[in-house]
Amino acid sequence: MEPKFIPLPEFHEYPAAEMQQRAEQFYQEIRRRRTVRDFSDRPVDLGVIDECLKAAGTAPNGANLQPWQFVVVTDPAVKSEIRIAAEAEERELYQHRASQEWLDVLAPLGTDENKPFLETAPVLIGIFSKAYDLKPDGARVKNYYVSESVGIATGFLIAALHHAGLATLTHTPSPMKFLNEIMDRPSHERPFLLLVVGYPAEGAKVPVIEKKSLREMVAYL
């Protein structure tokens, strides 16, 4: 099949000073993003969620095969089922599977096996990666760079939700296979991450943490 090309659409180049200003403005906005564990039960406009998911869908990905699936959950009964299953796995983690070294790293964040936010937050988004897709006739189409692609799309989604004025929490109970059953997803879709979305609870607090400086995380050659 011969590739088809069109002129690059809607690329905007800015004067150097404006580029610097825009870069700084984005940094100042995104640095305000914090992982929240205390959520309000205030409802969220699903139109906002849809726009943010559309933004996630623009992420670069292997061969444009877009190996992701998003599942938006707002049903209280389903959220409750997810919480029960997730906490069961988290209890195993904290009480048996996690090394002391891992528990020591988690300690400053104040986390434990209790995940009330899975019921309190108005929206949960299950993010699934797909090693392959299925054609209508059942034939498999292999996807490439799946983890990288889904990770980038997830980053886009988190940034979009923050930009829209919502708080998020990335939740990764291990293993997460229970999400396939609860969210009615086929076995070839693998749970990548459960994203908790909503407004922070009144008086919500976050742990005191520091990010690496530019010099610590960047090398110039």
Side-chain angles (χ1 to χ4, degrees):
M1 180 184 296
E2 286 292 324
K4 296 180 179 179
F5 293 90
I6 61 173
L8 176 64
E10 300 185 59
F11 179 80
H12 297 284
E13 184 174 337
Y14 303 97
E18 186 175 353
M19 288 176 66
Q20 184 69 32
Q21 181 184 41
R22 290 171 65 88
E24 291 176 0
Q25 286 175 341
F26 182 78
Y27 167 66
Q28 292 302 328
E29 177 172 2
I30 204 67
R31 72 188 292 270
R32 293 189 297 103
R33 190 212 63 79
R34 291 296 305 269
T35 293
V36 170
R37 291 182 173 82
D38 297 319
F39 281 86
S40 165
D41 61 0
R42 289 172 56 195
V44 169
D45 185 345
L46 290 183
V48 174
I49 302 297
D50 285 347
E51 292 301 313
C52 294
L53 287 166
K54 285 160 61 177
T58 70
N61 60 94
N64 195 39
L65 293 172
Q66 303 163 66
W68 46 65
Q69 180 69 44
F70 302 96
V71 181
V72 179
V73 178
T74 58
D75 186 325
V78 179
K79 290 193 294 177
S80 177
E81 192 175 356
I82 291 172
R83 178 184 179 182
I84 291 170
E87 288 186 337
E89 295 296 347
E90 293 289 86
R91 280 193 295 274
E92 283 296 311
L93 173 71
Y94 280 89
Q95 297 175 16
H96 304 292
R97 290 200 295 259
S99 66
Q100 188 58 49
E101 181 181 17
W102 179 225
L103 294 175
D104 290 343
V105 171
L106 290 173
L109 303 179
T111 62
D112 58 27
E113 62 267 35
N114 300 302
K115 311 298 177 183
F117 47 75
L118 293 175
E119 286 189 279
T120 306
V123 178
L124 304 180
I125 303 177
I127 303 172
F128 292 79
S129 64
K130 298 188 289 184
Y132 60 88
D133 274 298
L134 294 175
K135 292 183 176 181
D137 63 1
R140 293 186 181 187
V141 179
K142 179 178 171 60
N143 293 323
Y144 298 88
Y145 300 102
V146 174
S147 294
E148 295 89 343
S149 300
V150 178
I152 295 169
T154 299
F156 273 35
L157 178 56
I158 292 170
L161 290 164
H162 171 74
H163 183 69
L166 293 170
T168 57
L169 165 68
T170 53
H171 185 46
T172 53
S174 179
M176 291 190 284
K177 291 182 179 179
F178 62 86
L179 290 177
N180 287 79
E181 180 178 352
I182 296 174
M183 295 185 175
D184 194 25
R185 301 313 305 168
S187 59
H188 71 278
E189 295 183 6
R190 181 178 181 179
F192 181 81
L193 188 145
L194 185 60
L195 192 62
V196 185
V197 183
Y199 296 99
E202 185 175 352
K205 295 182 178 181
V206 295
V208 176
I209 59 173
E210 293 184 1
K211 297 295 185 181
K212 290 182 178 179
S213 69
L214 187 66
R215 289 183 178 275
E216 290 175 299
M217 66 180 183
V218 180
Y220 295 93
L221 301 177

PDB file of all heavy atoms in Angstrom, residues 39-42 73-84 87 115-124 194 196-197:
ATOM      1  N   PHE A  39     -10.850  12.775  47.807  1.00  0.00           N
ATOM      2  CA  PHE A  39     -11.720  13.299  46.762  1.00  0.00           C
ATOM      3  C   PHE A  39     -13.086  13.688  47.302  1.00  0.00           C
ATOM      4  O   PHE A  39     -13.606  13.079  48.241  1.00  0.00           O
ATOM      5  CB  PHE A  39     -11.913  12.250  45.660  1.00  0.00           C
ATOM      6  CG  PHE A  39     -10.762  12.145  44.714  1.00  0.00           C
ATOM      7  CD1 PHE A  39      -9.681  11.323  45.009  1.00  0.00           C
ATOM      8  CD2 PHE A  39     -10.742  12.850  43.519  1.00  0.00           C
ATOM      9  CE1 PHE A  39      -8.612  11.206  44.132  1.00  0.00           C
ATOM     10  CE2 PHE A  39      -9.680  12.746  42.640  1.00  0.00           C
ATOM     11  CZ  PHE A  39      -8.610  11.923  42.942  1.00  0.00           C
ATOM     12  N   SER A  40     -13.669  14.708  46.686  1.00  0.00           N
ATOM     13  CA  SER A  40     -15.066  15.058  46.900  1.00  0.00           C
ATOM     14  C   SER A  40     -15.929  14.133  46.047  1.00  0.00           C
ATOM     15  O   SER A  40     -15.467  13.588  45.040  1.00  0.00           O
ATOM     16  CB  SER A  40     -15.302  16.516  46.493  1.00  0.00           C
ATOM     17  OG  SER A  40     -16.678  16.791  46.362  1.00  0.00           O
ATOM     18  N   ASP A  41     -17.186  13.979  46.452  1.00  0.00           N
ATOM     19  CA  ASP A  41     -18.109  13.186  45.633  1.00  0.00           C
ATOM     20  C   ASP A  41     -18.894  14.061  44.650  1.00  0.00           C
ATOM     21  O   ASP A  41     -19.844  13.597  44.026  1.00  0.00           O
ATOM     22  CB  ASP A  41     -19.076  12.389  46.518  1.00  0.00           C
ATOM     23  CG  ASP A  41     -19.944  13.274  47.407  1.00  0.00           C
ATOM     24  OD1 ASP A  41     -19.814  14.529  47.348  1.00  0.00           O
ATOM     25  OD2 ASP A  41     -20.753  12.728  48.183  1.00  0.00           O
ATOM     26  N   ARG A  42     -18.482  15.315  44.499  1.00  0.00           N
ATOM     27  CA  ARG A  42     -19.130  16.203  43.531  1.00  0.00           C
ATOM     28  C   ARG A  42     -19.094  15.592  42.145  1.00  0.00           C
ATOM     29  O   ARG A  42     -18.050  15.098  41.709  1.00  0.00           O
ATOM     30  CB  ARG A  42     -18.424  17.557  43.488  1.00  0.00           C
ATOM     31  CG  ARG A  42     -18.615  18.440  44.684  1.00  0.00           C
ATOM     32  CD  ARG A  42     -17.697  19.647  44.590  1.00  0.00           C
ATOM     33  NE  ARG A  42     -17.881  20.397  43.349  1.00  0.00           N
ATOM     34  CZ  ARG A  42     -17.006  21.305  42.896  1.00  0.00           C
ATOM     35  NH1 ARG A  42     -15.897  21.552  43.573  1.00  0.00           N
ATOM     36  NH2 ARG A  42     -17.258  21.940  41.784  1.00  0.00           N
ATOM     37  N   VAL A  73     -16.015   4.821  34.289  1.00  0.00           N
ATOM     38  CA  VAL A  73     -16.934   4.238  35.271  1.00  0.00           C
ATOM     39  C   VAL A  73     -17.472   5.335  36.179  1.00  0.00           C
ATOM     40  O   VAL A  73     -16.702   6.054  36.822  1.00  0.00           O
ATOM     41  CB  VAL A  73     -16.231   3.164  36.128  1.00  0.00           C
ATOM     42  CG1 VAL A  73     -17.186   2.604  37.179  1.00  0.00           C
ATOM     43  CG2 VAL A  73     -15.676   2.050  35.245  1.00  0.00           C
ATOM     44  N   THR A  74     -18.796   5.442  36.226  1.00  0.00           N
ATOM     45  CA  THR A  74     -19.447   6.367  37.156  1.00  0.00           C
ATOM     46  C   THR A  74     -20.491   5.661  38.022  1.00  0.00           C
ATOM     47  O   THR A  74     -20.967   6.244  38.999  1.00  0.00           O
ATOM     48  CB  THR A  74     -20.143   7.513  36.393  1.00  0.00           C
ATOM     49  OG1 THR A  74     -21.104   6.966  35.480  1.00  0.00           O
ATOM     50  CG2 THR A  74     -19.127   8.344  35.610  1.00  0.00           C
ATOM     51  N   ASP A  75     -20.844   4.446  37.693  1.00  0.00           N
ATOM     52  CA  ASP A  75     -21.864   3.677  38.414  1.00  0.00           C
ATOM     53  C   ASP A  75     -21.354   3.349  39.820  1.00  0.00           C
ATOM     54  O   ASP A  75     -20.321   2.683  39.969  1.00  0.00           O
ATOM     55  CB  ASP A  75     -22.160   2.393  37.645  1.00  0.00           C
ATOM     56  CG  ASP A  75     -23.307   1.590  38.241  1.00  0.00           C
ATOM     57  OD1 ASP A  75     -23.458   1.574  39.484  1.00  0.00           O
ATOM     58  OD2 ASP A  75     -24.051   0.966  37.459  1.00  0.00           O
ATOM     59  N   PRO A  76     -22.052   3.791  40.863  1.00  0.00           N
ATOM     60  CA  PRO A  76     -21.584   3.530  42.232  1.00  0.00           C
ATOM     61  C   PRO A  76     -21.400   2.044  42.534  1.00  0.00           C
ATOM     62  O   PRO A  76     -20.467   1.666  43.254  1.00  0.00           O
ATOM     63  CB  PRO A  76     -22.685   4.140  43.104  1.00  0.00           C
ATOM     64  CG  PRO A  76     -23.310   5.195  42.236  1.00  0.00           C
ATOM     65  CD  PRO A  76     -23.256   4.652  40.851  1.00  0.00           C
ATOM     66  N   ALA A  77     -22.268   1.205  42.000  1.00  0.00           N
ATOM     67  CA  ALA A  77     -22.162  -0.229  42.269  1.00  0.00           C
ATOM     68  C   ALA A  77     -20.883  -0.802  41.664  1.00  0.00           C
ATOM     69  O   ALA A  77     -20.210  -1.641  42.278  1.00  0.00           O
ATOM     70  CB  ALA A  77     -23.387  -0.956  41.712  1.00  0.00           C
ATOM     71  N   VAL A  78     -20.544  -0.358  40.473  1.00  0.00           N
ATOM     72  CA  VAL A  78     -19.321  -0.838  39.820  1.00  0.00           C
ATOM     73  C   VAL A  78     -18.091  -0.312  40.557  1.00  0.00           C
ATOM     74  O   VAL A  78     -17.114  -1.046  40.771  1.00  0.00           O
ATOM     75  CB  VAL A  78     -19.293  -0.424  38.342  1.00  0.00           C
ATOM     76  CG1 VAL A  78     -18.003  -0.894  37.681  1.00  0.00           C
ATOM     77  CG2 VAL A  78     -20.495  -0.994  37.600  1.00  0.00           C
ATOM     78  N   LYS A  79     -18.136   0.946  40.972  1.00  0.00           N
ATOM     79  CA  LYS A  79     -17.015   1.507  41.731  1.00  0.00           C
ATOM     80  C   LYS A  79     -16.812   0.743  43.029  1.00  0.00           C
ATOM     81  O   LYS A  79     -15.665   0.486  43.442  1.00  0.00           O
ATOM     82  CB  LYS A  79     -17.248   2.995  41.999  1.00  0.00           C
ATOM     83  CG  LYS A  79     -17.156   3.870  40.763  1.00  0.00           C
ATOM     84  CD  LYS A  79     -17.068   5.349  41.113  1.00  0.00           C
ATOM     85  CE  LYS A  79     -18.345   5.833  41.770  1.00  0.00           C
ATOM     86  NZ  LYS A  79     -18.258   7.250  42.176  1.00  0.00           N
ATOM     87  N   SER A  80     -17.895   0.384  43.689  1.00  0.00           N
ATOM     88  CA  SER A  80     -17.795  -0.378  44.929  1.00  0.00           C
ATOM     89  C   SER A  80     -17.155  -1.741  44.682  1.00  0.00           C
ATOM     90  O   SER A  80     -16.303  -2.203  45.459  1.00  0.00           O
ATOM     91  CB  SER A  80     -19.188  -0.564  45.536  1.00  0.00           C
ATOM     92  OG  SER A  80     -19.131  -1.353  46.712  1.00  0.00           O
ATOM     93  N   GLU A  81     -17.540  -2.381  43.580  1.00  0.00           N
ATOM     94  CA  GLU A  81     -16.969  -3.680  43.232  1.00  0.00           C
ATOM     95  C   GLU A  81     -15.471  -3.553  42.964  1.00  0.00           C
ATOM     96  O   GLU A  81     -14.679  -4.411  43.378  1.00  0.00           O
ATOM     97  CB  GLU A  81     -17.697  -4.230  42.004  1.00  0.00           C
ATOM     98  CG  GLU A  81     -17.407  -5.679  41.707  1.00  0.00           C
ATOM     99  CD  GLU A  81     -18.234  -6.220  40.557  1.00  0.00           C
ATOM    100  OE1 GLU A  81     -19.096  -5.489  40.030  1.00  0.00           O
ATOM    101  OE2 GLU A  81     -18.002  -7.396  40.185  1.00  0.00           O
ATOM    102  N   ILE A  82     -15.090  -2.476  42.275  1.00  0.00           N
ATOM    103  CA  ILE A  82     -13.671  -2.240  42.001  1.00  0.00           C
ATOM    104  C   ILE A  82     -12.908  -2.025  43.302  1.00  0.00           C
ATOM    105  O   ILE A  82     -11.810  -2.566  43.493  1.00  0.00           O
ATOM    106  CB  ILE A  82     -13.506  -1.029  41.067  1.00  0.00           C
ATOM    107  CG1 ILE A  82     -14.024  -1.375  39.660  1.00  0.00           C
ATOM    108  CG2 ILE A  82     -12.033  -0.585  41.001  1.00  0.00           C
ATOM    109  CD1 ILE A  82     -14.094  -0.193  38.723  1.00  0.00           C
ATOM    110  N   ARG A  83     -13.490  -1.260  44.218  1.00  0.00           N
ATOM    111  CA  ARG A  83     -12.802  -1.011  45.485  1.00  0.00           C
ATOM    112  C   ARG A  83     -12.578  -2.306  46.256  1.00  0.00           C
ATOM    113  O   ARG A  83     -11.468  -2.543  46.770  1.00  0.00           O
ATOM    114  CB  ARG A  83     -13.610  -0.034  46.346  1.00  0.00           C
ATOM    115  CG  ARG A  83     -12.949   0.214  47.696  1.00  0.00           C
ATOM    116  CD  ARG A  83     -13.772   1.098  48.605  1.00  0.00           C
ATOM    117  NE  ARG A  83     -13.096   1.264  49.889  1.00  0.00           N
ATOM    118  CZ  ARG A  83     -13.585   1.960  50.917  1.00  0.00           C
ATOM    119  NH1 ARG A  83     -14.760   2.565  50.818  1.00  0.00           N
ATOM    120  NH2 ARG A  83     -12.900   2.058  52.051  1.00  0.00           N
ATOM    121  N   ILE A  84     -13.587  -3.145  46.327  1.00  0.00           N
ATOM    122  CA  ILE A  84     -13.456  -4.394  47.070  1.00  0.00           C
ATOM    123  C   ILE A  84     -12.324  -5.249  46.498  1.00  0.00           C
ATOM    124  O   ILE A  84     -11.473  -5.776  47.233  1.00  0.00           O
ATOM    125  CB  ILE A  84     -14.790  -5.165  47.039  1.00  0.00           C
ATOM    126  CG1 ILE A  84     -15.848  -4.427  47.876  1.00  0.00           C
ATOM    127  CG2 ILE A  84     -14.603  -6.591  47.559  1.00  0.00           C
ATOM    128  CD1 ILE A  84     -17.252  -4.970  47.716  1.00  0.00           C
ATOM    129  N   GLU A  87      -8.792  -3.464  47.031  1.00  0.00           N
ATOM    130  CA  GLU A  87      -8.309  -3.522  48.409  1.00  0.00           C
ATOM    131  C   GLU A  87      -7.855  -4.928  48.786  1.00  0.00           C
ATOM    132  O   GLU A  87      -6.928  -5.079  49.597  1.00  0.00           O
ATOM    133  CB  GLU A  87      -9.390  -3.022  49.362  1.00  0.00           C
ATOM    134  CG  GLU A  87      -9.594  -1.509  49.281  1.00  0.00           C
ATOM    135  CD  GLU A  87     -10.556  -0.970  50.322  1.00  0.00           C
ATOM    136  OE1 GLU A  87     -11.400  -1.750  50.822  1.00  0.00           O
ATOM    137  OE2 GLU A  87     -10.469   0.225  50.636  1.00  0.00           O
ATOM    138  N   LYS A 115      -8.603   2.105  50.206  1.00  0.00           N
ATOM    139  CA  LYS A 115      -8.736   2.955  49.021  1.00  0.00           C
ATOM    140  C   LYS A 115     -10.155   3.518  48.904  1.00  0.00           C
ATOM    141  O   LYS A 115     -10.877   3.253  47.935  1.00  0.00           O
ATOM    142  CB  LYS A 115      -8.382   2.152  47.757  1.00  0.00           C
ATOM    143  CG  LYS A 115      -7.073   1.388  47.839  1.00  0.00           C
ATOM    144  CD  LYS A 115      -5.871   2.308  48.021  1.00  0.00           C
ATOM    145  CE  LYS A 115      -4.578   1.511  48.164  1.00  0.00           C
ATOM    146  NZ  LYS A 115      -3.396   2.374  48.421  1.00  0.00           N
ATOM    147  N   PRO A 116     -10.596   4.324  49.866  1.00  0.00           N
ATOM    148  CA  PRO A 116     -11.961   4.854  49.804  1.00  0.00           C
ATOM    149  C   PRO A 116     -12.226   5.730  48.593  1.00  0.00           C
ATOM    150  O   PRO A 116     -13.380   5.865  48.155  1.00  0.00           O
ATOM    151  CB  PRO A 116     -12.081   5.653  51.106  1.00  0.00           C
ATOM    152  CG  PRO A 116     -10.665   5.980  51.494  1.00  0.00           C
ATOM    153  CD  PRO A 116      -9.864   4.803  51.056  1.00  0.00           C
ATOM    154  N   PHE A 117     -11.153   6.323  48.035  1.00  0.00           N
ATOM    155  CA  PHE A 117     -11.336   7.208  46.884  1.00  0.00           C
ATOM    156  C   PHE A 117     -11.932   6.472  45.680  1.00  0.00           C
ATOM    157  O   PHE A 117     -12.514   7.088  44.797  1.00  0.00           O
ATOM    158  CB  PHE A 117     -10.006   7.850  46.488  1.00  0.00           C
ATOM    159  CG  PHE A 117      -8.838   6.912  46.397  1.00  0.00           C
ATOM    160  CD1 PHE A 117      -8.684   6.043  45.329  1.00  0.00           C
ATOM    161  CD2 PHE A 117      -7.881   6.895  47.407  1.00  0.00           C
ATOM    162  CE1 PHE A 117      -7.614   5.181  45.246  1.00  0.00           C
ATOM    163  CE2 PHE A 117      -6.789   6.032  47.323  1.00  0.00           C
ATOM    164  CZ  PHE A 117      -6.659   5.172  46.251  1.00  0.00           C
ATOM    165  N   LEU A 118     -11.789   5.145  45.643  1.00  0.00           N
ATOM    166  CA  LEU A 118     -12.336   4.386  44.523  1.00  0.00           C
ATOM    167  C   LEU A 118     -13.865   4.438  44.502  1.00  0.00           C
ATOM    168  O   LEU A 118     -14.472   4.232  43.450  1.00  0.00           O
ATOM    169  CB  LEU A 118     -11.862   2.935  44.568  1.00  0.00           C
ATOM    170  CG  LEU A 118     -10.361   2.723  44.339  1.00  0.00           C
ATOM    171  CD1 LEU A 118      -9.986   1.263  44.535  1.00  0.00           C
ATOM    172  CD2 LEU A 118      -9.953   3.207  42.956  1.00  0.00           C
ATOM    173  N   GLU A 119     -14.465   4.709  45.637  1.00  0.00           N
ATOM    174  CA  GLU A 119     -15.919   4.895  45.693  1.00  0.00           C
ATOM    175  C   GLU A 119     -16.311   6.365  45.745  1.00  0.00           C
ATOM    176  O   GLU A 119     -17.325   6.770  45.176  1.00  0.00           O
ATOM    177  CB  GLU A 119     -16.495   4.174  46.911  1.00  0.00           C
ATOM    178  CG  GLU A 119     -16.544   2.671  46.775  1.00  0.00           C
ATOM    179  CD  GLU A 119     -17.314   2.019  47.913  1.00  0.00           C
ATOM    180  OE1 GLU A 119     -16.732   1.844  49.003  1.00  0.00           O
ATOM    181  OE2 GLU A 119     -18.503   1.697  47.705  1.00  0.00           O
ATOM    182  N   THR A 120     -15.502   7.172  46.427  1.00  0.00           N
ATOM    183  CA  THR A 120     -15.867   8.575  46.631  1.00  0.00           C
ATOM    184  C   THR A 120     -15.741   9.390  45.353  1.00  0.00           C
ATOM    185  O   THR A 120     -16.647  10.168  45.025  1.00  0.00           O
ATOM    186  CB  THR A 120     -14.969   9.203  47.712  1.00  0.00           C
ATOM    187  OG1 THR A 120     -15.029   8.412  48.894  1.00  0.00           O
ATOM    188  CG2 THR A 120     -15.428  10.624  48.023  1.00  0.00           C
ATOM    189  N   ALA A 121     -14.645   9.235  44.641  1.00  0.00           N
ATOM    190  CA  ALA A 121     -14.439  10.021  43.420  1.00  0.00           C
ATOM    191  C   ALA A 121     -15.542   9.724  42.412  1.00  0.00           C
ATOM    192  O   ALA A 121     -15.982   8.578  42.280  1.00  0.00           O
ATOM    193  CB  ALA A 121     -13.074   9.707  42.821  1.00  0.00           C
ATOM    194  N   PRO A 122     -15.989  10.728  41.681  1.00  0.00           N
ATOM    195  CA  PRO A 122     -17.118  10.521  40.766  1.00  0.00           C
ATOM    196  C   PRO A 122     -16.786   9.712  39.521  1.00  0.00           C
ATOM    197  O   PRO A 122     -17.672   9.112  38.920  1.00  0.00           O
ATOM    198  CB  PRO A 122     -17.520  11.949  40.386  1.00  0.00           C
ATOM    199  CG  PRO A 122     -16.287  12.757  40.571  1.00  0.00           C
ATOM    200  CD  PRO A 122     -15.570  12.134  41.727  1.00  0.00           C
ATOM    201  N   VAL A 123     -15.509   9.674  39.131  1.00  0.00           N
ATOM    202  CA  VAL A 123     -15.144   9.012  37.874  1.00  0.00           C
ATOM    203  C   VAL A 123     -13.894   8.156  38.070  1.00  0.00           C
ATOM    204  O   VAL A 123     -12.904   8.609  38.647  1.00  0.00           O
ATOM    205  CB  VAL A 123     -14.877  10.037  36.745  1.00  0.00           C
ATOM    206  CG1 VAL A 123     -14.443   9.321  35.459  1.00  0.00           C
ATOM    207  CG2 VAL A 123     -16.113  10.891  36.481  1.00  0.00           C
ATOM    208  N   LEU A 124     -13.961   6.936  37.583  1.00  0.00           N
ATOM    209  CA  LEU A 124     -12.783   6.078  37.458  1.00  0.00           C
ATOM    210  C   LEU A 124     -12.600   5.790  35.968  1.00  0.00           C
ATOM    211  O   LEU A 124     -13.575   5.528  35.265  1.00  0.00           O
ATOM    212  CB  LEU A 124     -12.964   4.759  38.211  1.00  0.00           C
ATOM    213  CG  LEU A 124     -13.300   4.828  39.700  1.00  0.00           C
ATOM    214  CD1 LEU A 124     -13.445   3.417  40.271  1.00  0.00           C
ATOM    215  CD2 LEU A 124     -12.248   5.606  40.461  1.00  0.00           C
ATOM    216  N   LEU A 194      -5.447   2.408  36.584  1.00  0.00           N
ATOM    217  CA  LEU A 194      -6.776   2.894  36.952  1.00  0.00           C
ATOM    218  C   LEU A 194      -6.630   4.351  37.381  1.00  0.00           C
ATOM    219  O   LEU A 194      -5.931   4.648  38.358  1.00  0.00           O
ATOM    220  CB  LEU A 194      -7.355   2.059  38.099  1.00  0.00           C
ATOM    221  CG  LEU A 194      -8.788   2.356  38.520  1.00  0.00           C
ATOM    222  CD1 LEU A 194      -9.767   2.143  37.375  1.00  0.00           C
ATOM    223  CD2 LEU A 194      -9.186   1.493  39.719  1.00  0.00           C
ATOM    224  N   VAL A 196      -8.137   7.717  38.833  1.00  0.00           N
ATOM    225  CA  VAL A 196      -9.207   8.257  39.664  1.00  0.00           C
ATOM    226  C   VAL A 196      -9.319   9.746  39.368  1.00  0.00           C
ATOM    227  O   VAL A 196      -8.313  10.466  39.379  1.00  0.00           O
ATOM    228  CB  VAL A 196      -8.905   8.019  41.160  1.00  0.00           C
ATOM    229  CG1 VAL A 196     -10.075   8.466  42.024  1.00  0.00           C
ATOM    230  CG2 VAL A 196      -8.576   6.543  41.408  1.00  0.00           C
ATOM    231  N   VAL A 197     -10.545  10.224  39.113  1.00  0.00           N
ATOM    232  CA  VAL A 197     -10.739  11.595  38.635  1.00  0.00           C
ATOM    233  C   VAL A 197     -11.861  12.277  39.397  1.00  0.00           C
ATOM    234  O   VAL A 197     -12.918  11.678  39.644  1.00  0.00           O
ATOM    235  CB  VAL A 197     -11.076  11.605  37.127  1.00  0.00           C
ATOM    236  CG1 VAL A 197     -11.210  13.035  36.614  1.00  0.00           C
ATOM    237  CG2 VAL A 197     -10.038  10.840  36.327  1.00  0.00           C
TER     238      VAL A 197
END
